[in-house]
Amino acid sequence: MSATRTSSPGTGRSGARTGRFPALRRAALREWGPLFTTVRNGLRERGVRALALTLTAVTLTATVQLIQNQSWGHGPVQALGAVRAEDPVWLALLRTPLSLFVPALDLPVWGALAQILLVFGIAEVCLGRWRTLVVAYVATLAGTLYARVGIALGPDAFLGLPASDAQVVDTGPSAAVVGLAVYVCHARRAWFTGALVIVAMVVEVLVKDNLAGREHLASIAAVLVICAVREWLGRRRAGRDQDLRAGGSGVRSGAPPMRS
């Protein structure tokens, strides 16, 4: 006589897999659930159109990399997209938008392309095309302007930089990528991931203190200011809407209710 084997939910091999780390699973869902849902729904509804800006940025970066590696293309790319702190401010501002898509010559281009595809893609789906562009530009511009301030302060100051950094070519999407990552984490309440990005950039400066690492921190600071203003405006708008609803119901209107 054979006995029938029954298994209750949460037991057995599959049940052990799902119930082994329930707290970790809940934490992951809280951290990345809203972000994953937004990206999945955006790609499902709009398809490749949801990544139009990202794919354009990837194509532009790859094209610029191909051109600047040619003997005839290095000079024009540097003239149009290479930013240095010793350049006049107006010239740096003109070159900054294109400098975002000029990969650094001392780094592998696939790293820049992967950063743009992943971070720009998530940001474009979550934030929209124009907000992604604005945040990316502000983050890049913050790093560029910080270099000038740091060199003016000098190496002995707390946020100062050596004068030799004025001649360093400042290009690449890394500052924009870091700023976008922090902004998306704030917008989707992925607090742990956002804190992890910030800590990683601080560790980068502590391990290898250079102009690029300092500019990453400057871009993070600028984006955090944007996040704080966004949070303040949201709370102010919510409070105003609550007052309007209360006034419409006659609770805080200051006048007795009308009688028919």
Side-chain angles (χ1 to χ4, degrees):
M1 187 174 180
S2 62
T4 305
R5 223 171 148 185
T6 60
S7 61
S8 59
T11 62
R13 187 171 298 175
S14 61
R17 280 199 303 266
T18 57
R20 186 172 298 173
F21 303 109
L24 185 61
R25 183 173 181 272
R26 288 195 298 268
L29 286 176
R30 283 195 304 268
E31 182 73 12
W32 298 305
L35 182 62
F36 176 79
T37 302
T38 303
V39 174
R40 182 189 61 189
N41 293 341
L43 293 177
R44 180 183 298 171
E45 294 172 2
R46 298 163 55 197
V48 182
R49 291 179 301 158
L51 301 175
L53 171 64
T54 302
L55 297 178
T56 302
V58 169
T59 304
L60 179 60
T61 304
T63 303
V64 171
Q65 172 69 6
L66 182 63
I67 293 175
Q68 75 174 350
N69 282 333
Q70 307 300 319
S71 58
W72 53 267
H74 179 73
V77 169
Q78 294 295 305
L80 295 175
V83 178
R84 299 176 181 85
E86 65 181 3
D87 296 334
V89 177
W90 64 269
L91 184 59
L93 292 177
L94 286 177
R95 290 176 173 175
T96 297
L98 183 60
S99 70
L100 231 132
F101 309 105
V102 179
L105 292 174
D106 57 339
L107 296 176
V109 67
W110 62 262
L113 296 178
Q115 289 178 0
I116 294 174
L117 185 61
L118 179 63
V119 180
F120 269 67
I122 294 175
E124 184 177 3
V125 176
C126 294
L127 308 176
R129 192 168 303 152
W130 292 109
R131 190 182 300 181
T132 299
L133 272 177
V134 169
V135 174
Y137 182 74
V138 169
T140 303
L141 190 61
T144 300
L145 296 179
Y146 159 73
R148 296 173 177 273
V149 175
I151 291 170
L153 291 175
D156 297 330
F158 172 63
L159 297 176
L161 294 170
S164 58
D165 282 347
Q167 300 175 356
V168 175
V169 177
D170 180 19
T171 60
S174 57
V177 165
V178 171
L180 282 172
V182 172
Y183 189 89
V184 170
C185 289
H186 172 267
R188 297 301 164 184
R189 298 303 191 253
W191 304 119
F192 177 77
T193 306
L196 194 63
V197 172
I198 296 174
V199 170
M201 295 302 103
V202 173
V203 171
E204 177 191 13
V205 172
L206 294 177
V207 172
K208 186 179 180 181
D209 190 2
N210 56 15
L211 179 61
R214 296 286 192 96
E215 288 187 346
H216 293 165
L217 294 182
S219 67
I220 289 175
V223 170
L224 288 178
V225 171
I226 297 176
C227 293
V229 172
R230 178 177 178 267
E231 197 74 19
W232 177 74
L233 291 175
R235 292 178 180 177
R236 185 179 180 185
R237 189 179 301 113
R240 185 166 59 247
D241 293 342
Q242 186 177 1
D243 291 342
L244 288 174
R245 286 194 298 269
S249 62
V251 177
R252 296 181 59 186
S253 61
M258 295 180 63
R259 296 181 179 178
S260 59

